[in-house]
């Protein structure tokens, strides 16, 4: 006998032995807790098997998902390039949800290669937290929403004549990765 203890968000059909969750929003979960009372007729090993079926009356095209769009840019490139020692390069990473559902736990990694110094002046809006050096997490990005991360880099003497590449990579809750690169060539 199955004894259900938290049936506020689902129903239990005792005859068919089926749990039904009428609606489950994107990114949400339901935990079903139950106990099994062993019958005297239960002989041998008991098996617990869970099968999940979703959207029985919907086609794949009807399933609503969020989708990340990433843009990495140098805000002042047109007015300053070629950059020289002492110039400040202004970077902006824009992460947008161009899908039809909210997204959660988006990880943004930002790597700068070829630079002689560190980035500075990182500005993180509400809802974005830094989880390690140059790695950030966006907790929630609603459908149609966007978040921007901005920062600067001051060109160092060791950067003369180099190309600095800055790569932003975003991984969403479905482990889909999107990458965009912005690069500058510095005056010798």
């Amino acid at each position: 006998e199955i004894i259900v203890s938290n049936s506020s968000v689902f129903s239990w059909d005792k005859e068919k032995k089926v749990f039904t969750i009428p609606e489950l929003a994107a990114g949400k979960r339901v935990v079903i807790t139950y106990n099994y009372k062993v019958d005297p007729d239960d002989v041998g090993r008991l098996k617990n098997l869970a099968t999940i079926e979703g959207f029985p009356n919907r086609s794949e095209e009807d399933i609503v998902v969020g989708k990340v769009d990433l843009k990495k840019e140098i805000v002042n490139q047109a007015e300053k390039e070629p950059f020289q020692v002492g110039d400040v390069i202004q970077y902006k990473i824009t992460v947008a949800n161009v899908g039809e559902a909210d997204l959660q736990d988006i990880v943004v990694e930002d790597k700068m290669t070829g630079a002689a110094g560190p980035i500075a002046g990182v500005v993180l809006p509400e809802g974005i937290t830094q989880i390690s050096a140059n790695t950030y997490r966006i907790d929630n990005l609603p459908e149609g929403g966007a978040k921007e991360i901005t920062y600067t880099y001051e060109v160092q003497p060791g950067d003369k004549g180099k190309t600095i590449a800055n790569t932003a990579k975003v991984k969403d809750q479905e482990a889909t990765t999107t990458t965009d690169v912005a690069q500058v060539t510095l005056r010798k």
Side-chain angles (χ1 to χ4, degrees):
E1 176 186 13
I2 293 179
I3 302 159
V4 179
S5 60
N6 67 331
S7 61
S8 63
V9 293
F10 60 86
S11 62
W12 165 244
D13 185 326
K14 194 172 186 173
E15 297 300 315
K16 294 180 183 176
K17 296 185 171 122
V18 172
F19 294 101
T20 302
I21 302 167
E23 185 175 330
L24 185 60
K28 300 298 179 190
R29 68 181 184 153
V30 171
V31 176
I32 298 174
T33 305
Y34 66 91
N35 294 311
Y36 180 78
K37 184 178 177 185
V38 179
D39 276 351
D41 296 336
D42 291 333
V43 178
R45 203 174 234 183
L46 294 175
K47 221 184 235 186
N48 185 1
L49 175 66
T51 304
I52 299 172
E53 295 177 12
F55 307 111
N57 299 319
R58 297 173 73 178
S59 70
E60 202 170 294
E61 292 82 32
D62 292 333
I63 298 172
V64 178
V65 296
K67 182 178 179 210
V68 171
D69 183 48
L70 171 67
K71 183 176 182 185
K72 173 74 179 205
E73 62 185 306
I74 299 169
V75 178
N76 61 340
Q77 189 166 19
E79 65 190 60
K80 288 280 199 173
E81 196 163 38
F83 290 94
Q84 57 190 352
V85 174
D87 284 345
V88 175
I89 304 172
Q90 299 170 340
Y91 289 96
K92 178 168 69 172
I93 301 169
T94 305
V95 180
N97 182 350
V98 296
E100 298 176 3
D102 293 357
L103 291 169
Q104 289 81 32
D105 298 322
I106 300 167
V107 176
V108 181
E109 291 179 20
D110 188 49
K111 294 185 180 179
M112 187 178 297
T113 56
I119 65 170
V122 178
V123 177
L124 300 175
E126 186 175 326
I128 300 181
T129 53
Q130 185 167 3
I131 55 178
S132 66
N134 304 327
T135 303
Y136 313 93
R137 183 179 61 242
I138 300 172
D139 299 324
N140 182 51
L141 191 58
E143 172 187 346
K147 297 275 186 179
E148 292 180 352
I149 300 170
T150 59
Y151 60 91
T152 59
Y153 175 74
E154 185 175 340
V155 179
Q156 306 293 308
D159 294 325
K160 286 183 182 180
K162 290 184 177 180
T163 297
I164 297 177
N166 193 285
T167 304
K169 182 168 71 171
V170 173
K171 188 182 290 186
D172 66 19
Q173 64 200 26
E174 302 297 324
T176 304
T177 302
T178 306
T179 305
D180 196 11
V181 178
Q183 67 179 31
V184 294
T185 301
L186 304 169
R187 192 175 284 166
K188 293 183 180 185

